[in-house]
Amino acid sequence: MSISNVELADGEELMDIADELMYRQITDLMMDNGKPATSAFGPASIDKGKPSYSRSGQVEAQQARDWHTEYASRPSLGVWAVSVEEVIGAGLVAIDDANTPLPAGARRAPGHCYVDFRNMNKRAERVYRAKLHFCATDRGEIPTTETLKDGQLFA
């Protein structure tokens, strides 16, 4: 994907700090034999080609995990990350969308950003998410502690 082909919405900007990490929350549906599945680093159909990450320059891994566990439908089992440099090196684009307008009542994770998989066929998507998976698993899980939602302790 070429940067010249990227369509930015109002409030979006390209991320260009090479060593900044992009945190990915891994849920039970993204696991394969106790490790993140390759698919975990690409979009689910609901993402419309924009899988959610959080910027390390704006939020700590623990804060990102806590927010996800509080507001997402499934709690985070752990945080894994790719750097902006790795995203670009894989041939993809990292986009900060934290300042885009939200619909009334909607929430957005602090430091929200995404890797652009839009307008990509499934075969290409598999190749690119595998590249990100390799970078993230080579780095290893980002240390955090589990945070439970209200009522989970005795569920």
Side-chain angles (χ1 to χ4, degrees):
M1 172 175 290
S2 167
I3 290 177
S4 62
N5 296 340
V6 176
E7 295 178 32
L8 296 176
D10 287 340
E12 288 185 340
E13 62 184 21
L14 295 175
M15 294 172 60
D16 61 0
I17 301 171
D19 63 348
E20 183 171 16
L21 294 179
M22 298 173 66
Y23 299 134
R24 183 74 166 150
Q25 302 303 317
I26 305 299
T27 68
D28 60 337
L29 297 177
M30 301 167 144
M31 297 295 280
D32 183 23
N33 292 322
K35 300 240 181 205
T38 304
S39 60
F41 297 92
S45 55
I46 194 169
D47 294 327
K48 298 179 181 164
K50 302 185 320 185
S52 295
Y53 287 76
S54 297
R55 295 183 73 159
S56 67
Q58 297 181 6
V59 65
E60 294 178 11
Q62 185 67 54
Q63 293 168 316
R65 184 176 182 186
D66 291 348
W67 191 95
H68 181 93
T69 297
E70 178 72 25
Y71 295 106
S73 60
R74 294 184 154 333
S76 173
L77 299 180
V79 180
W80 296 72
V82 293
S83 71
V84 171
E85 181 176 40
E86 290 164 345
V87 170
I88 295 168
L92 296 164
V93 178
I95 298 174
D96 179 325
D97 66 345
N99 293 316
T100 59
L102 279 175
R107 294 186 177 123
R108 180 183 294 123
H112 193 273
C113 58
Y114 66 91
V115 175
D116 193 355
F117 281 81
R118 295 174 293 173
N119 304 315
M120 191 179 292
N121 66 44
K122 290 294 180 189
R123 183 179 197 154
E125 187 179 293
R126 283 192 296 273
V127 169
Y128 287 112
R129 70 184 189 206
K131 291 179 181 184
L132 298 181
H133 177 265
F134 176 77
C135 294
T137 54
D138 191 45
R139 175 175 288 104
E141 185 174 357
I142 306 300
T144 59
T145 58
E146 184 175 7
T147 304
L148 301 177
K149 286 184 180 181
D150 285 345
Q152 277 188 313
L153 185 59
F154 302 106

